[in-house]
Amino acid sequence: MAMAAPTGSAAPVAPALCGHLALLLLLAAPAAHGYSFPQQHTMQYWARRLEQEIDGVMRIFGGVQQLRGIYNENRNLFEVKENVPRKLVEKVAGDIESLLAKKVRALKRLANAAEKFQKAHHWQDNIREEDIEYYDSKADTEYDDPDGEEIEREKSNSLKLEFTDDANFKTKVNYSYAAVQIPTDIYKGSTVILNELNWTQALEDVFIENRKEDPSLLWQVFGSATGVTRYYPATPWRAPNKIDLYDVRRRPWYIQGASSPKDMVIIVDVSGSVSGLTLKLMKTSVYEMLDTLSDDDYVNVASFNEKAKPVSCFKHLVQANIRNKKVFKEDVQGMVAKGTTDYKAGFEYAFDQLQNSNITRANCNKMIMMFTDGGEDRVQDVFEKYNWPNKTVRVFTFSVGQHNYDVTPLQWMACANKGYYFEIPSIGAIRINTQEYLDVLGRPMVLAGNRAKQVQWTNVYQDALGLGLVVTGTLPVFNLTEDSSDRKNQLILGVMGIDVALNDIKRLTPRYNLGANGYVFAIDLNGYVLLHPNLQPQIINFREPVTLDFLDAELEDENKEEIRRSMIDGNDGQRFIKTLIKSLDEQYIDEVFRTYTWAPIKSTNYSLGLVLPPYSTYYIQANLSDQILQVKYFEYLLPNSFESEGHVFIAPREYCKDLDLSDNNTEFLENFIALMEKVTPDSKQCDNFLLHNLILDTGITQQLVERVWKDQDLNTYSLLAVFAATDGGITRVFPNKAADDWEEEPEPFNASFYRRSLDNKGYIFKPPYRDAGYRGLDLENNTIGILVSTAVELSIGGKTLKPAVVGVKLDLEAWAEKFKVLASNRTDRDQLGARRCDPSTSCEMDCEANNKDLICVLIDDGGFLVLSNQEDHWYQVGKFFSEVDANLMSALYNNSFYARKESYDFQSVCAPEAQSNTGAAPRGVFVPTVADLLNLAWWTSAAAWSLFQQFLYGLTYSSWFQTEEVAGDSMEARETSCIMKQTQYYFSTVNATYNAIIDCGNCSRLFHAQRLANTNLLFVVADKPLCSQCESVKLLQAEVRAPPRDPNQCELVDRPRYRKGPHICFDYNATEDTSDCGRGASFTPSLGVLLSLQLLLLYSSASRHPLPPAACL
C-alpha cells in the first residue's frame, strides 16, 4: 500500500492523518549513515535542471525555430491547401460508388446470360466426359498425402493451356478461356455435372466481353448449386498442402447470395441410444451446419433428451459471427448421450427461441434443424400449437448414423413443415447434406423473380486464388424453366460473383494529403470495416470472412459508438471528439482530438468515414516550376552528398508507375534515382504531388543541415545523431555514419516517433523497445540511443499545420551520467565525493553520490524506462518499468500517475495449442466398446459399413474435421488465428508532485514522483528496496494470448452491438411447391462383409495408419 502526499494540485483523496505523520517523520529523519531522503523542494529543483537541460539541447540542435524560418523563406515554392472533410468524403464515396457500379453492370449481364443459357439447354441423359471440352483447373495440381508421397493424378480430358504472368491477378492467367473447379468429393463424370459443364460453357464468351468493356475486372465467377465453379480468366487451381476441400457452396459470398438471412435453432438428440459413432457424426454435422451461416444469420444450439437445454452459455439466438460459432463448436464437444428421447421437449424449446421478439435477430427464414438417430413420435400437437396453419417455421430433420429405426416420422415432420428430410449415414454425407437446405430456402427467392435479384456486397474475405483481401458483388441465378403444367421451376441455379480487391478501392482514397494521422475508413451494415489502416489480418483463412468491427479496430468509446450507429443507418454527419488512440507500435496510448466525417456510399451497404486531426486541416503542396531548382534539390538525394549533408532515407511511395519498389531503402533510392534520370517530376506517369513535395523537402532539410547541424559539435552534448523527417517523405539523419544504426521506418507516416510527435506537445522520448526477456548481451559492442523528437508547427496566413518532426538521438551511457549529475546536489564547481556526511552531520541523499541507496529514473508516458542512475539498469532501458522494479511501478499506478487501457487484437496469429491425446487407440477412428461387440443389433445394423467409410475418408482427409483455424483450405494445422490481449499504460490527468510511502511492513520505501514539463517523462526518486517484503504483483504490459472465453462472449451477446441486416427478406411465397421434401435410402451389407471390414479397419488403423489427433470427430 502506498500513502501519498500530493502537492502542486488538489489531491484526489486525503490520506489518513497517521499516514501524513509517518511520511513527515521518515522524510525528516536521517538514516544511520547520516543521509536523509531528499526533501521535496530538492527534488523539484533537480526536475527543473533536467527540464532546462533537455530544452537547451533541443533548442540548439533540434532547429525548430530555424526550420520555421526556412519554410517561411521558401514560401514561394509551395501553396497551403485545405482538406475540406465533407467534400473529400463526398468525392471518395462517389468514386467508390462508380467503381462498384461498373462491376454491378457486368454482374447483371452475366446473371441474365446464365439464366438464358440454362433455359435453352437440352438435358442429355447419355452425355459423356469426352463430349465436354473444358479446362480442369486441378488437372495439373499436385497433392501430397500425409506421408509426403505424391498422390497419383486422376486421368483428365482437360484442355492444355498456356499461361502468362499478370500483375492484376498476381498469378499466371489465360484470357481466352475460363477454368472449372469441381469439389474433390463430387464425381465429375456424373450426368448432372456433365450437363452443368455443358451449358455453363457458353458463359465464357460473356466473361470475355465483360473484360473488353472493363479491363479492370478481376475474377468473374459462377458458383453452381451442384458444386461446379467456373471462373474467368483461367488459371491453375492453388493447391493446398493436402487434399483440396474447396466447395464454392461453402464460400461466404455464395452463402450470402443464395438465400435471405436466417434465424436457425439446431436441436441435437442426446438420448442414450445416440452413442459412439452416431454422436460423433452429430457433433461434426453441427460443426458443418454452423459453417453454412454468415454474419447476417442468427442461431442457437440445444441438446435434448427428456429435457432440452442450450449447449453453451447463450440463452437466446445470437449472431452467427466467428466468435459465437467458435463457442458453439467448443461446447458441442461436451455433449454426452444419456436418458430417453422426447422430441416434444426439443421442439418446444426451439419454437420458444424463435418466438422471442425481445432480442436482435434476422426476422427472416425461421427454421429448426433436428439431428437424431430416429424415433416414433411425430409431435403433431407441438406443430399445431406453434406452427400451423401458417407454417412460418421450416423444419429440417436429419437421420444420423446407421440404424434400423423407422424414418417415416422424421420425413413426416419435415414434409408437414415446409422443410426437408436428410440422411447422414457416414462422414461422407455430412458436408453435402448440411448445405443442401439452402436449395429449399432459395425457393421463395426464385419464385419472387426480379424482385429477389438484389446485388449484395460481402464482408471482406481472403480470395482463394491469391488476390488478397477482396469483397464480392453477388447476384442469385434462377432456373427459369417451366414444367408441362407451366409451373415455374423453383430451384436456384447458383450465384454469380465478381471480385473487387480492397487495394483497388484504397487507390480511390486520399492518403498523403491527410497527413500521418489522418485516414479514410469504411464499414458495412454489421459495423465491420471494409477499409481501415488497422485492418491487417495476420493469417490467411479462406473458410471465414475477415470480420473486424470498427469498435475493435479503434479504442471504443461512446462517441465512436454513436458515429458507428449513424453510419450503419446510412446518415451523413461530422463530429469533433476527444478520444484515445494506440501508437503505431502499440506500446503507447495518446489522448487526441479528431474530426470524424461520414456519408453513405450510395447503391451499396457501405458507409465511408474520414478522420482528421486539427493540424491536418491544411497541408503543403509544392510548386517547383523552376527546373534549375529541381535539379539542385535533387542532387541532395544523391549518395555522394551524404557525407557532408547527412544520410537521406526516402519514403517507399509509388512516385511513378515504373518505379520498382524495394524493402531495402538503399536499393529503393537507387531505383528512384535511375528513374529520375529518365523522366522529369512533371511526367504524366508520375504522381506530381508526391514528387514535388519530396524534392522540396530534400532542399528544405538540406538548408537545416547548413544552418544548424554543421556548426555544432554533437559530442559536446553526447548526441549520436540529429534528424528531421517530413510529410513529403524525407528522413535526413546527420552525420552520415549515424544512418548505420538508424532503425526507424523510412516512411515517416509509418514511424511511431513521427506520429506521436504530431499528437503530443513538447519533447517526446522514445527508448529502444526491449521485451521482458532481453538481457543486453550486446550492450558492450553497441551504443544505445534514445530518440527525442518534437513537431515543427507552422502558422502561415492564420493556417496552422505540422509538416515536419525534428529531433536528436541521445547517447544512453553518457546521458545516464549526465542525468546523475543533474539530479544531484553537486554544482559545476563541485568535485564528485567532495561532500562528506557522518552520523552527526545530516545530508540529503542524491542520485549521484548515493546511487547505492537511491534509485533515480526517468520513465516515459507508456511506463518504459528511459534513464536510470543504476548502471545495472542500462541494459534494461526500453523495458516496461514493472520488469525493472515491480514494486515501484505498482505504487505509481496505484497513486494514479498512470491509467491503464486493456483491449483485444482479433487479428493475431499463434502457434496451435497442443491437444490431449489420451488412450491407446487412434482418436480418428471409432473403436466399438465391449457392449457394442456383444450387441447383435449393432452388427446387423449398417454401422460397420459407416466405419469403413470413415476409415477411407480418414486416410484421404486426415484432418477434415479438425477444429483449429488453418492456412487456406489446407487441413494441416500450422499457425492459428487467436485473440491477443493488450494492455497499455498512459499518463492520467494527475499532474501533481507526489511524496509517498510504499508500506512494506517493517521496511517501507519512500518515493517521489513528478512530471517533467514539456516532455513525456516522469521523474521518480525512491529508496532501494531493503527486503523481500516489498515485492508486489508485477503489472503486465506485454501482449499475451487471451485465455479461453476472454473476452466473455456470454456477456457480450447480452449487449450486442448495433447492426442492420439486409432490408429485403424472401422466406415465403404462396405458390411454393413443398412436395419435394426428402426421402430415405438405406444400404445393408451382409454380416460377413461387415465383420471383415471392421477387422480390417481396426488392424490397419492400429498398425499402419495412425491418424493425427485432428482427425477426431
Side-chain angles (χ1 to χ4, degrees), residues 597 835 855 865:
T597 309
R835 293 180 300 115
I855 292 177
L865 179 62

Side-chain angles (χ1 to χ4, degrees), residues 639-814:
N640 59 18
S641 71
F642 290 176
E643 196 59 42
S644 61
E645 311 299 329
H647 192 100
V648 175
F649 297 92
I650 67 170
R653 302 174 181 175
E654 295 184 20
Y655 300 101
C656 298
K657 292 179 181 177
D658 294 336
L659 178 59
D660 293 329
L661 299 179
S662 173
D663 292 333
N664 183 304
N665 200 255
T666 300
E667 183 179 320
F668 178 71
L669 179 59
E670 291 173 352
N671 296 342
F672 177 80
I673 293 170
L675 184 63
M676 287 297 100
E677 291 173 349
K678 302 176 184 177
V679 301
T680 68
D682 299 311
S683 170
K684 291 183 178 180
Q685 66 160 297
C686 296
D687 187 319
N688 303 139
F689 171 75
L690 290 183
L691 266 181
H692 279 251
N693 277 24
L694 179 80
I695 295 172
L696 172 67
D697 286 355
T698 304
I700 283 179
T701 55
Q702 187 276 334
Q703 293 176 47
L704 181 65
V705 176
E706 293 294 331
R707 298 189 188 187
V708 181
W709 297 347
K710 276 188 177 180
D711 296 333
Q712 302 294 340
D713 181 8
L714 273 59
N715 293 327
T716 303
Y717 288 87
S718 306
L719 303 182
L720 299 175
V722 287
F723 61 89
T726 70
D727 276 1
I730 291 293
T731 301
R732 189 179 291 274
V733 179
F734 185 87
N736 183 41
K737 64 180 181 181
D740 296 339
D741 299 319
W742 187 257
E743 298 179 349
E744 305 305 315
E745 288 284 339
E747 169 57 83
F749 285 16
N750 292 341
S752 183
F753 81 86
Y754 191 86
R755 295 171 68 157
R756 294 203 70 219
S757 297
L758 296 174
D759 272 329
N760 293 278
K761 293 181 179 179
Y763 309 123
I764 305 303
F765 282 68
K766 178 182 177 290
Y769 174 70
R770 311 293 189 196
D771 60 30
Y774 179 74
R775 291 292 176 264
L777 300 177
D778 57 348
L779 186 63
E780 295 180 2
N781 301 323
N782 290 293
T783 304
I784 296 177
I786 297 169
L787 291 189
V788 188
S789 56
T790 188
V792 178
E793 184 174 292
L794 301 182
S795 182
I796 300 176
K799 301 171 182 178
T800 301
L801 61 158
K802 296 180 180 181
V805 168
V806 295
V808 301
K809 191 174 185 181
L810 309 180
D811 183 329
L812 168 63
E813 192 170 338

